Structures are given as structure tokens and as C-alpha cells.
Amino acid sequence: MYFDKAAGISGVSQKTLSHMKAPDCMLKVTFPIEIKDKVEIITGFRVHHSRHMLPVKGGIRFATDVDEQEVTALAALMTYKCAIVDVPFGGAKGGISIDPKNYTDAEVERITRRYTVELCQKSFIGPGTDVPAPDVGTGAREMAWIMDTYRQFHPNEVDSIGCVTGKPIPLGGVRGRNESTGLGVYYGIREFVSYPEVQKHTGLSGDIKDLRIIIQGFGKVGYWAAKFFEQNGAKIIGIGEKECGVYNPNGLNIDKLFNYRRSRGSFLGMPNVDIIEDPLEILELECDVLIPAALERQIGLRNADKIKAKIVGEAANGPTTPLANEVLLMKGILVIPDLLLNAGGVTVSYFEWLKNLSHMRFGRMTKKWDELGKSQIVELVERNVARKLSETEKKQVVHGANETDLVFSGLEDTMISACSETRRTAISKDIDYRTAAFVNAIEKVAAVYEGSGIMFMN
Ligand code: NAD
């Protein structure tokens, strides 16, 4: 629905649009795994939505509701997401329909490795063809198993480590990947609230310190988004999790919440906060920015009308149904769409892939050289102004960029550009931000399709 709406507004030909809409190739595999003396048949998928750029990229999800339709939709979202943040990849997604909690670690490892063998045999993985990443139910551990299995099949391939991203740092991961999606969510919302037309529409001042924020989902994305907003002075007044929500109009302490939930497995019983028993209710409380960062379809027709936030920042993939999206827009709520706002993850995955291909940590060749140059400038200035900088001042000025600094800086620049491009299209075509983001993405993908010619069509 979103694609069709934006396609009609874009200047792209129907021929190219129909080519773009259809997924390029789909793999469905079933394989047996022996579990506690019984054979279980496991089903997995990998979909390449658009191979207009290679490699294609997208996460691998382990969840019981993984099916062909969901994987295909998420693969399409990846095509447009990569285009929006100018990551030169096509879109893909994969998944295995299991609940990993029902299996031991050793069983999850066997399933992951067996799935990877299927991907290797069918050429659905490789640093130049398809580079998966973590998604719901998977993390750095699974990515390490995938990389290790791929390497067994390609022992002489010098770039084999770049076959997957989201790896642990000692196995080729990049610093800052864990924080990246949440940090991108922070940068994106910061950009939008700084636009005068957004301030006029919402009555917000544009200062992060004035924002009252509610976040649904306290996982990888929700936690880091909360941390960065807290660090920059915003008040996180509510967090929703699957067992309940916690609320305090004076602001929550993110690390206290994190440590409490980690040690007890739930927010229940947490002191100095109001416990909201119905987890969905947190979405309906008054706040400036509501950030759904848990699952898809959390804002639907049943609750869209009750949302009181001024801005909904979609950190999760597909948290708002298309019909609920219409209700939010009619209520005058600004929606910053998922394909733009949570693109920080794929942006930093791209940085990880580049690091793997270069076989070198970012900043390794430049950090000391930069520090030397800056020290010389500081010495020169000290001599001319006849004042010595304190050691702390000197450290701040001289500090050369390390890998985390460079990754965060690249991410910030990417989010600023992508938000500004979306804003420009929204203003010039008088459309909402989601449609604007799709229009930009469709036009960028179409430029590649049309620019490279369409072989074998006629
Ligand atoms: P995660 O599994 O780390 O966190 C999800 C959190 O949501 C968990 O803490 C879970 O307990 C909670 N949750 C589950 N059901 C809930 C409910 N009904 N109400 C409230 N909370 C609930 O996953 P994640 O990586 O943080 O991903 C969250 C969303 O962001 C997903 O939609 C994912 O596709 C999307 N996303 C993630 C990344 C990434 O880099 N991790 C990148 C882009 C998009």
C-alpha cells in the first residue's frame, strides 16, 4: 500500500515500477534436524527483493510467525531503506520459523549452521552476493556461526569474513554496531524536531531537553534510543515491555531500569515508578514523542485513535498498520517512518562490511597522525598566546578519531542527509514523511534500473 501510494507520486514509469515491486528471487528450504531422538523438519526462507545493487542485505529472523509473505515484505523494506540512506546494497531478508527459546544453545547452533549450508549451496550468501545481519531472535552469536560455516565452504576466499554483519568485535564486527539503530533513531528525531515547520505544527521548542518520551520495547533498539535521549537531556517518562509498562512523569533512570529488569527478568515490583499492567496502554499515554521499538502492528485501528503523542518515531519495522497510519495523519500526528528512522542499523552494517573488505580497523592508519598534527597546532597556539592548555583541554583538542568516533560520525552525517532529503520531498510535494521517504527511495532505485538498461526484456 505504501509503495503504491508513493509510486503514483514518483515520476517513475509503470514498466520500471512493476519490475521493482516484484521480488527478484525467493528461497524456501526445509531440512531435518535430530532433536532429543526425534526428527524435526525446519523451514527457512531467504528472499532477494531487488538485486539492482549487489550484495543484497537484510537480517535473519528466528520467530514462529516467520513465513514467506513476512520475509518478502521485509526484504522489500530493506531495498527502500538502503536507498534512503545511500547504502549501495539491494534488499533481502531471511528467517527460520522457530522459537529459539524452545531449543538449547547447541540445537540453535545446529539449526543456524544447517540453514547456512543451504544458503551456501544455493548462492544465497557471500560478501559480493548476499550479506545477512541479525534481526529479531538472532544476534552476534548466530552471525559468528554463520560466518564460521560460510568459511568452511570458502576456505581460500580472502573476504569471506564480510559474508555477514553484526558479528562480535573479535570476529570482524565493528565498534558502535550495537548502539547504531538506537543512535540513528535519536539523530533522526533530533533532526525532525529541529525543523521550524515541525515546531510550528507540534508546539515543541526543538530543544531535546524539553522532550517527554515514551518507548515501547526495551531491547537492543529501545534501550539504546532511551540511553541517547537520556544522555542528551530528554525525559523518558514511560517504557513498555511485554510483561507491563513503567511510568514516571518526572523521568526514568535508564540504567536502573535495565539492571532491575536484567536481574529480575521483569519490571514488576520496580520501586518509584507506576506499573502499567496492560503493556499496550503505554502507547496511549500523553507524551511528545512515542517510539515503538518492539514489534510490528502495535498501532492498529484498535488504538490509533487513542494515541496522544505529537510525534510517532517508528524504531521497529512496521509498528503501524497502514490504516492506523491514516488515522494518525488525520489526527495531525507526525509519523517518522521506519524505513528512514531505523536505517542506522543497516548504515553501520555497511561500515562493518567495508571494514571487513579493507581488513583494517577504522582509524588505525590515521589516529596517531591526526593527533601529532593537532599537538603541533596546539603547541604553536600556546607559544603565541602565552597560555598553556590544561592536560584535559589538550586531550580534548588533540584526540584523534577512533573506530567508534568515526562510525558515529558517519552515522550522524547519513541520518542528517536522509532526514533532510525526506523533508525536502515532503514539503515540495505536500505529502507525509513516509510517502516522501518511499518516493525518494523509489526514484533512487529506478535510476539504477533505468540507468543500467533492462537487458532481455524485449
Ligand atoms: P530485541 O528482540 O532486542 O528487542 C525487542 C524488545 O521488545 C524485547 O525486549 C521484547 O521483550 C520487547 N517486546 C516484545 N513484545 C512486546 C510487547 N508486546 N510489548 C512491549 N515490548 C515487547 O529486538 P530489536 O533488535 O531491539 O528490534 C526491535 C525492532 O526494531 C524490530 O521490529 C526490528 O525489526 C527493528 N529493527 C532492529 C534493528 C537492529 O539493529 N536491531 C534494525 C532495524 C530495525
Side-chain angles (χ1 to χ4, degrees), residues 61 74 78 81 93 101 134-138 177-182 215-223 239-244 261 279-280 282 292-296 298 314-319 338 341-346 349:
R61 181 174 284 204
L74 290 169
M78 283 306 296
K81 199 182 286 189
K93 200 81 182 186
K101 288 196 202 75
D135 197 74
V136 175
T138 57
R177 175 63 182 92
N178 286 344
E179 300 93 318
S180 60
T181 308
I215 300 180
Q216 184 206 35
F218 203 43
K220 296 185 281 290
V221 178
Y223 168 77
I239 302 260
E241 254 299 334
K242 47 189 170 195
E243 69 279 3
C244 68
R261 191 162 190 272
L280 272 178
I282 200 91
L295 304 168
E296 48 278 295
Q298 293 303 294
E314 293 184 337
N317 281 320
D338 49 5
L341 196 63
N342 69 26
V346 73
S349 282

Short mmCIF file of all heavy atoms in Angstrom, two decimals, residues 61 74 78 81 93 101 134-138 177-182 215-223 239-244 261 279-280 282 292-296 298 314-319 338 341-346 349, ligand 1:
data_model
loop_
_atom_site.label_atom_id
_atom_site.label_comp_id
_atom_site.label_asym_id
_atom_site.label_seq_id
_atom_site.Cartn_x
_atom_site.Cartn_y
_atom_site.Cartn_z
N ARG A 61 15.75 -13.56 10.77
CA ARG A 61 14.87 -13.55 11.94
C ARG A 61 14.54 -14.99 12.36
O ARG A 61 14.28 -15.83 11.50
CB ARG A 61 13.59 -12.82 11.51
CG ARG A 61 12.55 -12.68 12.55
CD ARG A 61 11.41 -11.81 12.03
NE ARG A 61 11.77 -10.40 12.02
CZ ARG A 61 10.88 -9.41 12.06
NH1 ARG A 61 9.60 -9.66 12.09
NH2 ARG A 61 11.27 -8.15 12.06
N LEU A 74 9.50 -7.74 4.31
CA LEU A 74 10.65 -7.13 5.00
C LEU A 74 11.84 -6.97 4.04
O LEU A 74 12.62 -6.03 4.17
CB LEU A 74 11.04 -7.97 6.22
CG LEU A 74 10.01 -7.91 7.37
CD1 LEU A 74 10.32 -8.96 8.44
CD2 LEU A 74 9.96 -6.53 8.00
N MET A 78 13.83 -3.46 2.99
CA MET A 78 15.29 -3.29 3.00
C MET A 78 15.78 -2.60 1.73
O MET A 78 16.72 -1.81 1.78
CB MET A 78 15.99 -4.65 3.15
CG MET A 78 15.97 -5.22 4.54
SD MET A 78 16.63 -4.10 5.78
CE MET A 78 18.33 -3.93 5.27
N LYS A 81 14.96 1.00 2.28
CA LYS A 81 15.75 1.54 3.41
C LYS A 81 17.18 1.82 2.97
O LYS A 81 17.73 2.89 3.24
CB LYS A 81 15.74 0.50 4.54
CG LYS A 81 16.11 1.06 5.88
CD LYS A 81 16.13 -0.01 6.95
CE LYS A 81 14.76 -0.46 7.36
NZ LYS A 81 14.80 -1.34 8.55
N LYS A 93 15.92 -10.39 2.94
CA LYS A 93 15.55 -10.75 4.32
C LYS A 93 15.52 -12.27 4.39
O LYS A 93 15.27 -12.95 3.39
CB LYS A 93 14.16 -10.19 4.67
CG LYS A 93 13.92 -10.09 6.15
CD LYS A 93 14.55 -8.84 6.69
CE LYS A 93 14.38 -8.71 8.19
NZ LYS A 93 14.89 -7.40 8.65
N LYS A 101 13.71 -20.01 21.85
CA LYS A 101 13.65 -20.33 23.29
C LYS A 101 13.27 -21.79 23.53
O LYS A 101 13.48 -22.33 24.61
CB LYS A 101 12.63 -19.42 23.99
CG LYS A 101 13.13 -18.01 24.11
CD LYS A 101 12.32 -17.22 25.13
CE LYS A 101 12.45 -15.74 24.88
NZ LYS A 101 11.68 -15.27 23.72
N PRO A 134 21.82 -9.56 11.92
CA PRO A 134 20.87 -10.01 12.94
C PRO A 134 19.50 -9.35 12.79
O PRO A 134 19.40 -8.27 12.21
CB PRO A 134 21.50 -9.55 14.26
CG PRO A 134 22.85 -9.05 13.94
CD PRO A 134 22.90 -8.74 12.49
N ASP A 135 18.50 -9.99 13.30
CA ASP A 135 17.15 -9.41 13.39
C ASP A 135 16.52 -10.00 14.64
O ASP A 135 17.23 -10.54 15.51
CB ASP A 135 16.35 -9.75 12.11
CG ASP A 135 15.13 -8.85 11.96
OD1 ASP A 135 15.30 -7.68 11.62
OD2 ASP A 135 14.00 -9.32 12.22
N VAL A 136 15.20 -9.93 14.74
CA VAL A 136 14.53 -10.44 15.94
C VAL A 136 14.92 -11.91 16.15
O VAL A 136 14.88 -12.71 15.22
CB VAL A 136 12.99 -10.30 15.77
CG1 VAL A 136 12.26 -10.92 16.95
CG2 VAL A 136 12.62 -8.84 15.60
N GLY A 137 15.33 -12.24 17.34
CA GLY A 137 15.65 -13.62 17.69
C GLY A 137 17.07 -14.06 17.32
O GLY A 137 17.46 -15.20 17.59
N THR A 138 17.84 -13.18 16.69
CA THR A 138 19.23 -13.53 16.38
C THR A 138 20.14 -12.39 16.83
O THR A 138 19.67 -11.27 17.02
CB THR A 138 19.46 -13.76 14.87
OG1 THR A 138 19.06 -12.59 14.17
CG2 THR A 138 18.70 -14.94 14.34
N ARG A 177 28.16 -0.91 16.41
CA ARG A 177 27.03 -1.57 15.76
C ARG A 177 25.87 -1.78 16.74
O ARG A 177 24.71 -1.58 16.39
CB ARG A 177 27.46 -2.91 15.14
CG ARG A 177 26.32 -3.75 14.54
CD ARG A 177 25.63 -3.04 13.38
NE ARG A 177 24.51 -3.79 12.82
CZ ARG A 177 23.25 -3.66 13.19
NH1 ARG A 177 22.92 -2.83 14.16
NH2 ARG A 177 22.29 -4.35 12.60
N ASN A 178 26.18 -2.16 17.99
CA ASN A 178 25.12 -2.40 18.97
C ASN A 178 24.25 -1.16 19.18
O ASN A 178 23.04 -1.24 19.28
CB ASN A 178 25.71 -2.76 20.35
CG ASN A 178 26.27 -4.14 20.35
OD1 ASN A 178 25.97 -4.94 19.46
ND2 ASN A 178 27.10 -4.45 21.35
N GLU A 179 24.92 -0.01 19.27
CA GLU A 179 24.22 1.24 19.56
C GLU A 179 23.54 1.81 18.31
O GLU A 179 22.70 2.70 18.42
CB GLU A 179 25.22 2.30 20.07
CG GLU A 179 25.96 1.96 21.33
CD GLU A 179 27.31 1.30 21.04
OE1 GLU A 179 27.37 0.44 20.14
OE2 GLU A 179 28.29 1.63 21.72
N SER A 180 23.95 1.34 17.11
CA SER A 180 23.69 2.09 15.88
C SER A 180 22.22 2.39 15.60
O SER A 180 21.88 3.52 15.26
CB SER A 180 24.31 1.36 14.68
OG SER A 180 23.74 0.08 14.56
N THR A 181 21.34 1.40 15.74
CA THR A 181 19.94 1.67 15.36
C THR A 181 19.33 2.67 16.34
O THR A 181 18.66 3.63 15.94
CB THR A 181 19.14 0.36 15.29
OG1 THR A 181 19.86 -0.54 14.45
CG2 THR A 181 17.76 0.57 14.71
N GLY A 182 19.57 2.46 17.64
CA GLY A 182 19.03 3.38 18.65
C GLY A 182 19.61 4.78 18.50
O GLY A 182 18.90 5.78 18.63
N ILE A 215 8.79 4.93 25.20
CA ILE A 215 9.37 3.93 24.29
C ILE A 215 8.71 2.57 24.56
O ILE A 215 8.61 2.14 25.71
CB ILE A 215 10.90 3.82 24.49
CG1 ILE A 215 11.56 5.18 24.22
CG2 ILE A 215 11.51 2.74 23.60
CD1 ILE A 215 13.06 5.23 24.39
N GLN A 216 8.27 1.91 23.50
CA GLN A 216 7.75 0.54 23.66
C GLN A 216 8.84 -0.42 23.20
O GLN A 216 9.28 -0.35 22.05
CB GLN A 216 6.49 0.33 22.81
CG GLN A 216 5.89 -1.05 23.03
CD GLN A 216 5.08 -1.53 21.82
OE1 GLN A 216 5.43 -1.25 20.68
NE2 GLN A 216 4.03 -2.28 22.09
N GLY A 217 9.26 -1.32 24.10
CA GLY A 217 10.32 -2.27 23.75
C GLY A 217 11.64 -1.79 24.33
O GLY A 217 12.10 -0.69 24.02
N PHE A 218 12.22 -2.61 25.20
CA PHE A 218 13.47 -2.23 25.88
C PHE A 218 14.55 -3.22 25.49
O PHE A 218 15.32 -3.70 26.32
CB PHE A 218 13.21 -2.24 27.39
CG PHE A 218 14.15 -1.37 28.19
CD1 PHE A 218 14.50 -0.10 27.77
CD2 PHE A 218 14.67 -1.84 29.40
CE1 PHE A 218 15.35 0.69 28.53
CE2 PHE A 218 15.52 -1.06 30.16
CZ PHE A 218 15.87 0.21 29.72
N GLY A 219 14.59 -3.54 24.19
CA GLY A 219 15.61 -4.47 23.67
C GLY A 219 16.78 -3.68 23.12
O GLY A 219 17.09 -2.58 23.58
N LYS A 220 17.40 -4.23 22.07
CA LYS A 220 18.62 -3.60 21.52
C LYS A 220 18.33 -2.17 21.04
O LYS A 220 19.07 -1.25 21.34
CB LYS A 220 19.14 -4.45 20.35
CG LYS A 220 19.59 -5.85 20.76
CD LYS A 220 20.22 -6.60 19.61
CE LYS A 220 19.23 -7.19 18.64
NZ LYS A 220 18.44 -8.34 19.13
N VAL A 221 17.24 -2.00 20.31
CA VAL A 221 16.95 -0.68 19.74
C VAL A 221 16.39 0.26 20.81
O VAL A 221 16.85 1.39 20.98
CB VAL A 221 15.95 -0.82 18.56
CG1 VAL A 221 15.61 0.55 18.00
CG2 VAL A 221 16.53 -1.71 17.48
N GLY A 222 15.38 -0.21 21.55
CA GLY A 222 14.71 0.64 22.54
C GLY A 222 15.67 1.11 23.63
O GLY A 222 15.66 2.28 24.03
N TYR A 223 16.51 0.20 24.12
CA TYR A 223 17.44 0.57 25.19
C TYR A 223 18.39 1.68 24.74
O TYR A 223 18.57 2.68 25.42
CB TYR A 223 18.24 -0.67 25.65
CG TYR A 223 19.41 -0.28 26.54
CD1 TYR A 223 19.20 0.06 27.87
CD2 TYR A 223 20.71 -0.22 26.04
CE1 TYR A 223 20.26 0.46 28.69
CE2 TYR A 223 21.77 0.18 26.84
CZ TYR A 223 21.54 0.51 28.16
OH TYR A 223 22.60 0.91 28.96
N ILE A 239 8.29 3.38 29.67
CA ILE A 239 8.88 2.29 28.86
C ILE A 239 7.90 1.12 28.92
O ILE A 239 7.44 0.76 30.01
CB ILE A 239 10.23 1.81 29.44
CG1 ILE A 239 11.25 2.93 29.56
CG2 ILE A 239 10.76 0.61 28.68
CD1 ILE A 239 12.29 3.02 28.48
N GLY A 240 7.59 0.56 27.77
CA GLY A 240 6.69 -0.60 27.75
C GLY A 240 7.47 -1.86 27.42
O GLY A 240 8.34 -1.85 26.54
N GLU A 241 7.19 -2.90 28.14
CA GLU A 241 7.75 -4.22 27.80
C GLU A 241 6.61 -5.23 27.74
O GLU A 241 5.46 -4.87 27.96
CB GLU A 241 8.81 -4.64 28.83
CG GLU A 241 10.24 -4.53 28.29
CD GLU A 241 10.54 -5.41 27.07
OE1 GLU A 241 9.88 -6.45 26.90
OE2 GLU A 241 11.43 -5.06 26.28
N LYS A 242 6.94 -6.50 27.43
CA LYS A 242 5.83 -7.43 27.20
C LYS A 242 5.06 -7.76 28.48
O LYS A 242 3.87 -8.04 28.42
CB LYS A 242 6.27 -8.68 26.47
CG LYS A 242 7.49 -9.35 26.97
CD LYS A 242 7.90 -10.44 26.01
CE LYS A 242 9.26 -10.94 26.40
NZ LYS A 242 9.90 -11.72 25.38
N GLU A 243 5.72 -7.68 29.66
CA GLU A 243 5.01 -8.04 30.89
C GLU A 243 4.21 -6.87 31.46
O GLU A 243 3.18 -7.06 32.10
CB GLU A 243 6.00 -8.58 31.95
CG GLU A 243 6.99 -7.57 32.56
CD GLU A 243 8.21 -7.29 31.69
OE1 GLU A 243 8.27 -7.86 30.59
OE2 GLU A 243 9.09 -6.52 32.12
N CYS A 244 4.67 -5.63 31.24
CA CYS A 244 4.00 -4.44 31.78
C CYS A 244 4.72 -3.19 31.29
O CYS A 244 5.74 -3.29 30.60
CB CYS A 244 4.00 -4.45 33.31
SG CYS A 244 5.64 -4.23 34.02
N ARG A 261 15.59 -4.99 35.42
CA ARG A 261 14.93 -5.99 34.56
C ARG A 261 15.88 -7.16 34.25
O ARG A 261 15.47 -8.31 34.13
CB ARG A 261 14.46 -5.34 33.25
CG ARG A 261 13.55 -6.24 32.45
CD ARG A 261 12.73 -5.48 31.42
NE ARG A 261 11.72 -6.37 30.86
CZ ARG A 261 11.92 -7.15 29.81
NH1 ARG A 261 13.08 -7.14 29.21
NH2 ARG A 261 10.96 -7.95 29.36
N PRO A 279 0.42 -3.91 28.85
CA PRO A 279 1.59 -3.37 28.14
C PRO A 279 1.23 -2.40 27.01
O PRO A 279 1.97 -1.47 26.72
CB PRO A 279 2.29 -4.61 27.58
CG PRO A 279 1.70 -5.77 28.26
CD PRO A 279 0.36 -5.38 28.79
N LEU A 280 0.05 -2.63 26.38
CA LEU A 280 -0.31 -1.78 25.24
C LEU A 280 -0.73 -0.37 25.66
O LEU A 280 -0.67 0.57 24.87
CB LEU A 280 -1.45 -2.43 24.44
CG LEU A 280 -1.03 -3.41 23.35
CD1 LEU A 280 -2.25 -4.01 22.69
CD2 LEU A 280 -0.13 -2.74 22.31
N ILE A 282 0.69 1.75 27.48
CA ILE A 282 1.78 2.73 27.50
C ILE A 282 1.77 3.58 26.22
O ILE A 282 2.15 4.74 26.21
CB ILE A 282 3.15 2.02 27.69
CG1 ILE A 282 4.22 2.99 28.19
CG2 ILE A 282 3.64 1.33 26.45
CD1 ILE A 282 4.34 3.05 29.65
N PRO A 292 7.71 3.37 19.14
CA PRO A 292 7.52 1.92 19.18
C PRO A 292 8.80 1.24 18.70
O PRO A 292 9.25 1.48 17.58
CB PRO A 292 6.35 1.68 18.21
CG PRO A 292 6.11 2.96 17.49
CD PRO A 292 7.00 4.03 18.04
N ALA A 293 9.41 0.43 19.57
CA ALA A 293 10.70 -0.20 19.24
C ALA A 293 10.65 -1.69 19.58
O ALA A 293 11.65 -2.26 20.01
CB ALA A 293 11.82 0.50 20.00
N ALA A 294 9.46 -2.30 19.41
CA ALA A 294 9.36 -3.72 19.79
C ALA A 294 9.03 -4.59 18.58
O ALA A 294 9.90 -5.31 18.07
CB ALA A 294 8.29 -3.88 20.87
N LEU A 295 7.80 -4.52 18.13
CA LEU A 295 7.32 -5.46 17.11
C LEU A 295 6.51 -4.72 16.06
O LEU A 295 6.19 -3.55 16.22
CB LEU A 295 6.36 -6.47 17.77
CG LEU A 295 6.84 -7.28 18.94
CD1 LEU A 295 5.65 -7.97 19.58
CD2 LEU A 295 7.85 -8.30 18.48
N GLU A 296 6.09 -5.48 15.02
CA GLU A 296 5.22 -4.87 14.03
C GLU A 296 3.77 -4.84 14.54
O GLU A 296 3.44 -5.51 15.51
CB GLU A 296 5.32 -5.58 12.66
CG GLU A 296 5.22 -7.08 12.65
CD GLU A 296 6.53 -7.78 12.98
OE1 GLU A 296 7.46 -7.65 12.20
OE2 GLU A 296 6.58 -8.45 14.02
N GLN A 298 1.82 -2.75 16.19
CA GLN A 298 1.46 -2.39 17.57
C GLN A 298 0.45 -1.26 17.60
O GLN A 298 -0.33 -1.14 18.53
CB GLN A 298 2.73 -1.98 18.35
CG GLN A 298 3.69 -3.12 18.56
CD GLN A 298 3.02 -4.27 19.29
OE1 GLN A 298 2.64 -4.14 20.44
NE2 GLN A 298 2.85 -5.40 18.61
N GLU A 314 8.99 5.72 14.38
CA GLU A 314 8.94 4.26 14.24
C GLU A 314 10.35 3.64 14.27
O GLU A 314 11.04 3.63 13.24
CB GLU A 314 8.27 3.89 12.92
CG GLU A 314 6.80 4.25 12.86
CD GLU A 314 6.14 3.80 11.58
OE1 GLU A 314 6.85 3.60 10.55
OE2 GLU A 314 4.92 3.62 11.56
N ALA A 315 10.74 3.13 15.42
CA ALA A 315 12.04 2.49 15.53
C ALA A 315 11.94 1.02 15.11
O ALA A 315 12.88 0.46 14.54
CB ALA A 315 12.56 2.59 16.95
N ALA A 316 10.81 0.39 15.39
CA ALA A 316 10.61 -1.00 14.96
C ALA A 316 10.25 -1.01 13.48
O ALA A 316 9.94 0.03 12.90
CB ALA A 316 9.48 -1.63 15.76
N ASN A 317 10.30 -2.18 12.86
CA ASN A 317 9.85 -2.31 11.48
C ASN A 317 8.34 -2.53 11.47
O ASN A 317 7.85 -3.44 12.14
CB ASN A 317 10.53 -3.51 10.81
CG ASN A 317 11.95 -3.18 10.38
OD1 ASN A 317 12.21 -2.08 9.88
ND2 ASN A 317 12.87 -4.11 10.59
N GLY A 318 7.62 -1.70 10.74
CA GLY A 318 6.17 -1.87 10.57
C GLY A 318 5.35 -1.83 11.84
O GLY A 318 4.41 -2.62 11.97
N PRO A 319 5.63 -0.93 12.80
CA PRO A 319 4.84 -0.93 14.03
C PRO A 319 3.43 -0.36 13.85
O PRO A 319 2.56 -0.57 14.68
CB PRO A 319 5.65 -0.02 14.97
CG PRO A 319 6.37 0.90 14.07
CD PRO A 319 6.67 0.12 12.82
N ASP A 338 9.59 4.08 9.70
CA ASP A 338 10.61 3.06 9.99
C ASP A 338 11.74 3.02 8.97
O ASP A 338 12.91 2.98 9.32
CB ASP A 338 9.96 1.66 10.10
CG ASP A 338 9.03 1.32 8.94
OD1 ASP A 338 8.94 2.12 7.98
OD2 ASP A 338 8.39 0.25 9.00
N LEU A 341 13.84 6.00 9.88
CA LEU A 341 14.29 6.21 11.26
C LEU A 341 15.17 5.08 11.80
O LEU A 341 16.06 5.32 12.61
CB LEU A 341 13.08 6.43 12.18
CG LEU A 341 13.41 7.03 13.53
CD1 LEU A 341 14.00 8.42 13.39
CD2 LEU A 341 12.18 7.08 14.43
N ASN A 342 14.90 3.83 11.36
CA ASN A 342 15.73 2.75 11.92
C ASN A 342 16.83 2.30 10.95
O ASN A 342 17.40 1.22 11.11
CB ASN A 342 14.88 1.58 12.43
CG ASN A 342 14.18 0.81 11.33
OD1 ASN A 342 14.64 0.79 10.19
ND2 ASN A 342 13.07 0.17 11.65
N ALA A 343 17.14 3.16 9.97
CA ALA A 343 18.16 2.79 8.98
C ALA A 343 19.58 2.89 9.52
O ALA A 343 20.54 2.58 8.81
CB ALA A 343 18.00 3.66 7.73
N GLY A 344 19.74 3.31 10.77
CA GLY A 344 21.08 3.38 11.37
C GLY A 344 21.74 2.01 11.43
O GLY A 344 22.97 1.89 11.28
N GLY A 345 20.93 0.97 11.63
CA GLY A 345 21.48 -0.39 11.74
C GLY A 345 22.14 -0.81 10.44
O GLY A 345 23.30 -1.27 10.41
N VAL A 346 21.43 -0.62 9.32
CA VAL A 346 22.00 -1.08 8.05
C VAL A 346 23.15 -0.16 7.64
O VAL A 346 24.11 -0.62 6.99
CB VAL A 346 20.91 -1.21 6.95
CG1 VAL A 346 20.43 0.13 6.43
CG2 VAL A 346 21.45 -2.02 5.78
N SER A 349 26.05 -1.48 9.47
CA SER A 349 26.38 -2.79 8.89
C SER A 349 27.21 -2.59 7.63
O SER A 349 28.15 -3.34 7.35
CB SER A 349 25.11 -3.54 8.50
OG SER A 349 24.52 -4.10 9.63
P1 NAD B 1 15.00 -7.14 20.56
O1 NAD B 1 14.48 -8.52 20.49
O2 NAD B 1 16.36 -6.85 21.09
O3 NAD B 1 14.00 -6.19 21.41
C1 NAD B 1 12.61 -6.20 21.29
C2 NAD B 1 12.06 -5.93 22.68
O4 NAD B 1 10.65 -5.79 22.60
C3 NAD B 1 12.35 -7.06 23.67
O5 NAD B 1 12.90 -6.55 24.86
C4 NAD B 1 10.96 -7.68 23.90
O6 NAD B 1 10.82 -8.22 25.21
C5 NAD B 1 10.07 -6.49 23.69
N1 NAD B 1 8.68 -6.87 23.40
C6 NAD B 1 8.24 -7.99 22.78
N2 NAD B 1 6.89 -7.99 22.74
C7 NAD B 1 6.50 -6.84 23.32
C8 NAD B 1 5.23 -6.25 23.57
N3 NAD B 1 4.09 -6.85 23.20
N4 NAD B 1 5.19 -5.04 24.20
C9 NAD B 1 6.33 -4.43 24.57
N5 NAD B 1 7.55 -4.94 24.37
C10 NAD B 1 7.63 -6.12 23.74
O7 NAD B 1 14.83 -6.60 19.06
P2 NAD B 1 15.48 -5.27 18.47
O8 NAD B 1 16.67 -5.62 17.71
O9 NAD B 1 15.51 -4.21 19.50
O10 NAD B 1 14.37 -4.92 17.36
C11 NAD B 1 13.18 -4.24 17.68
C12 NAD B 1 12.53 -3.80 16.40
O11 NAD B 1 13.42 -2.95 15.67
C13 NAD B 1 12.13 -4.92 15.42
O12 NAD B 1 10.97 -4.52 14.75
C14 NAD B 1 13.30 -4.95 14.45
O13 NAD B 1 12.93 -5.50 13.18
C15 NAD B 1 13.61 -3.47 14.36
N6 NAD B 1 14.95 -3.16 13.90
C16 NAD B 1 16.04 -3.60 14.59
C17 NAD B 1 17.31 -3.26 14.16
C18 NAD B 1 18.54 -3.67 14.92
O14 NAD B 1 19.62 -3.21 14.56
N7 NAD B 1 18.42 -4.44 15.96
C19 NAD B 1 17.47 -2.50 12.99
C20 NAD B 1 16.35 -2.06 12.31
C21 NAD B 1 15.09 -2.41 12.78
#
